[in-house]
Amino acid sequence: MSVAVSWVASPNSELLSRYGFERVIESSRFFSSRQNPKAIKSRKQRWSGNGGGGGVVVSSMVASPAGELTLSSEEKVYNVVLKQAALVNRQLRSAPADVDVKPDVVLPGTLSEAYDRCGEVCAEYAKTFYLGTLLMTPERRKAIWAIYVWCRRTDELVDGPNASHITPTALDRWEARLDDLFRGRPFDMLDAALADTVSQYPVDIQPFRDMIEGMRMDLRKSRYQNFDELYMYCYYVAGTVGLMSVPVMGIDPKSKATTESVYNAALALGIANQLTNILRDVGEDARRGRVYLPQDELTQAGLSDEDIFAGRVTEKWRNFMKMQIKRARKFFDEAEKGVTELSSASRWPVWASLLLYRRILDEIEANDYNNFTKRAYVSKAKKIAALPAAYAKSLFSSSRLSSSST
């Protein structure tokens, strides 16, 4: 299960300077002075929360043009899921203590300050999520803050005011810095918080690397030929967060679900959130010359990029959008099955994220599928109204739901 956050704040240069990106950005300028800022997709909402639960990703094989069988995107991602789940299971077998009952950790001065700073960033840029983390145990919330900040810093590299200076070489440097962090050699204070987190929890480096790969995709790719390609992109930029966060959020000790199924549901919510972002931002992306919709499905619907750039809401477009929304909702349904598998203190922020993000799809429908000139959003009043419902849902574990239905 992932951290249930919504990145609603716009990037700014002050944020970048506070995060210590100057060296990464400055070094990239030595290698490239030409970078098209239009090649960057806005992903302010990428780390918007990913749920966990009982669904299983159905893997499949696809045939290459030469007739050879290759792994589909879902199969490739599922292999990462299995690796992370195995890591968690190994720790569960070897760790006798329950992290939920550990006392608050007293950290050395600078490390304690690093976690506090991560918390301040969450409070400033993800208010709803931050409130949810306050219900977690102190150890868990500090760790989730550290993961949140790393993901936000990574996102800012390609979505901030200095994005035009970011090159593949700069991202390579950021990944090298990540490797050092996992080896216990953090570069700065905020890196130190994450370095401490990954030393305390069974967090694998692969999802972090994959998120950086998602940044690379946005530097080189502006079209996706089919949903298999789009699925991999959604995993890179959103599904990864679930895999990072499940080990920290924890699974309910009473849960009878497999670890793999919890990770699959975390992945499902990440995919659902990113698909929702894409459907909401069609017009905004089109103005950047980008189309994050499966090209083959557009063709089947009798549509083309030109129709999107023209911003025409036709019956063909409405029918196409209905199918895209239906797919996103299926991923939300898959994620919802497993939110109750999380540890009790971690459920509320995830439920809040899931309920609020699903409502964006409702708003697209309310706008008569005009996502060219109208931005679908959930009003502040609706957000506030959703929080008690999310909290009520978080009080029920999977075992209680099962017993109440028998």
Side-chain angles (χ1 to χ4, degrees):
M1 184 74 49
S2 163
V3 200
V5 307
S6 294
W7 286 9
V8 294
S10 299
N12 57 66
S13 56
E14 180 186 0
L15 184 65
L16 287 174
S17 62
R18 279 189 289 172
Y19 282 173
F21 284 153
E22 292 86 351
R23 292 193 184 182
V24 176
I25 295 171
E26 184 177 349
S27 64
S28 71
R29 293 180 178 141
F30 288 105
F31 296 93
S32 173
S33 59
R34 294 179 300 171
Q35 177 65 40
N36 182 6
K38 293 182 178 180
I40 311 298
K41 175 187 180 290
S42 175
R43 289 186 306 278
K44 299 184 185 71
Q45 303 283 344
R46 177 187 304 107
W47 208 43
S48 304
N50 312 293
V56 175
V57 174
V58 179
S59 61
S60 61
M61 303 291 284
V62 296
S64 68
E68 300 174 347
L69 290 179
T70 59
L71 290 177
S72 69
S73 293
E74 288 188 353
E75 182 69 27
K76 293 174 184 175
V77 172
Y78 188 53
N79 288 337
V80 180
V81 169
L82 291 177
K83 181 182 177 183
Q84 176 66 84
L87 185 64
V88 172
N89 288 335
R90 283 198 300 273
Q91 193 205 51
L92 290 175
R93 288 193 295 268
S94 61
D98 184 351
V99 71
D100 280 327
V101 299
K102 289 181 180 179
D104 199 355
V105 177
V106 180
L107 298 170
T110 55
L111 190 53
S112 179
E113 291 169 6
Y115 277 117
D116 288 345
R117 180 63 191 126
C118 289
E120 291 170 3
V121 173
C122 289
E124 185 175 357
Y125 294 99
K127 293 178 176 61
T128 301
F129 162 66
Y130 176 77
L131 291 175
T133 64
L134 297 181
L135 296 179
M136 299 179 183
T137 59
E139 301 85 1
R140 291 190 192 279
R141 68 169 170 258
K142 290 173 183 175
I144 289 297
W145 291 343
I147 293 174
Y148 172 92
V149 168
W150 185 89
C151 290
R152 187 173 186 92
R153 296 171 87 186
T154 302
D155 184 77
E156 289 293 311
L157 285 173
V158 298
D159 197 32
N162 290 292
S164 60
H165 300 295
I166 294 300
T167 67
T169 301
L171 293 176
D172 291 345
R173 289 175 180 270
W174 187 245
E175 185 167 2
R177 179 165 161 174
L178 172 70
D179 291 337
D180 285 341
L181 184 158
F182 266 80
R183 295 188 186 104
R185 299 196 296 269
F187 178 79
D188 61 15
M189 174 186 283
L190 298 180
D191 279 357
L194 184 58
D196 183 67
T197 291
V198 301
S199 72
Q200 301 295 326
Y201 295 89
V203 179
D204 187 59
I205 194 173
Q206 191 60 49
F208 293 83
R209 287 174 173 162
D210 287 343
M211 178 173 277
I212 296 173
E213 183 59 29
M215 310 299 136
R216 293 190 181 100
M217 287 183 73
D218 262 343
L219 294 181
R220 66 174 185 262
K221 195 174 180 70
S222 62
R223 298 292 187 279
Y224 293 84
Q225 293 305 311
N226 50 49
F227 184 70
D228 188 67
E229 286 189 8
L230 186 61
Y231 178 93
M232 182 59 77
Y233 172 75
C234 290
Y235 159 70
Y236 282 146
V237 301
T240 49
V241 187
L243 305 190
M244 299 173 191
S245 306
V246 170
V248 174
M249 286 199 161
I251 299 173
D252 189 335
K254 298 178 183 178
S255 173
K256 295 179 174 60
T258 65
T259 307
E260 291 87 349
S261 69
V262 175
Y263 275 92
N264 277 329
L267 182 64
L269 186 50
I271 300 296
N273 284 348
Q274 188 60 26
L275 289 175
T276 301
N277 291 339
I278 289 170
L279 298 180
R280 180 198 59 200
D281 296 339
V282 167
E284 181 181 335
D285 291 332
R287 288 187 285 276
R288 293 186 173 93
R290 304 184 69 82
V291 178
Y292 285 84
L293 297 166
Q295 292 289 306
D296 60 345
E297 294 178 15
L298 281 171
T299 300
Q300 292 167 12
L303 298 166
S304 66
D305 289 355
E306 285 67 30
D307 294 304
I308 295 174
F309 295 144
R312 291 190 289 264
V313 181
T314 62
E315 278 307 303
K316 288 182 179 180
W317 177 252
R318 293 186 183 94
N319 291 333
F320 174 79
M321 283 299 302
K322 288 176 184 178
M323 295 302 296
Q324 301 302 310
I325 290 174
K326 181 179 180 181
R327 171 188 283 149
R329 283 179 172 148
K330 285 183 177 179
F331 279 100
F332 277 120
D333 290 342
E334 199 62 43
E336 187 170 337
K337 294 175 185 177
V339 180
T340 52
E341 308 296 342
L342 286 179
S343 95
S344 58
S346 300
R347 293 181 204 133
W348 185 56
V350 180
W351 270 119
S353 171
L354 192 155
L355 295 178
L356 290 173
Y357 247 73
R358 287 190 76 143
R359 291 193 178 187
I360 294 175
L361 299 175
D362 299 338
E363 297 299 327
I364 294 174
E365 292 173 332
N367 288 340
D368 192 30
Y369 306 98
N370 180 5
N371 43 4
F372 299 115
T373 60
K374 294 182 179 180
R375 182 178 176 86
Y377 70 96
V378 181
S379 68
K380 185 175 181 179
K382 290 181 180 179
K383 287 181 179 180
I384 293 173
L387 295 180
Y391 182 70
K393 286 179 175 290
S394 73
L395 298 178
F396 291 91
S397 67
S398 57
S399 60
R400 290 174 64 186
L401 289 176
S402 299
S403 61
S404 64
S405 63
T406 57

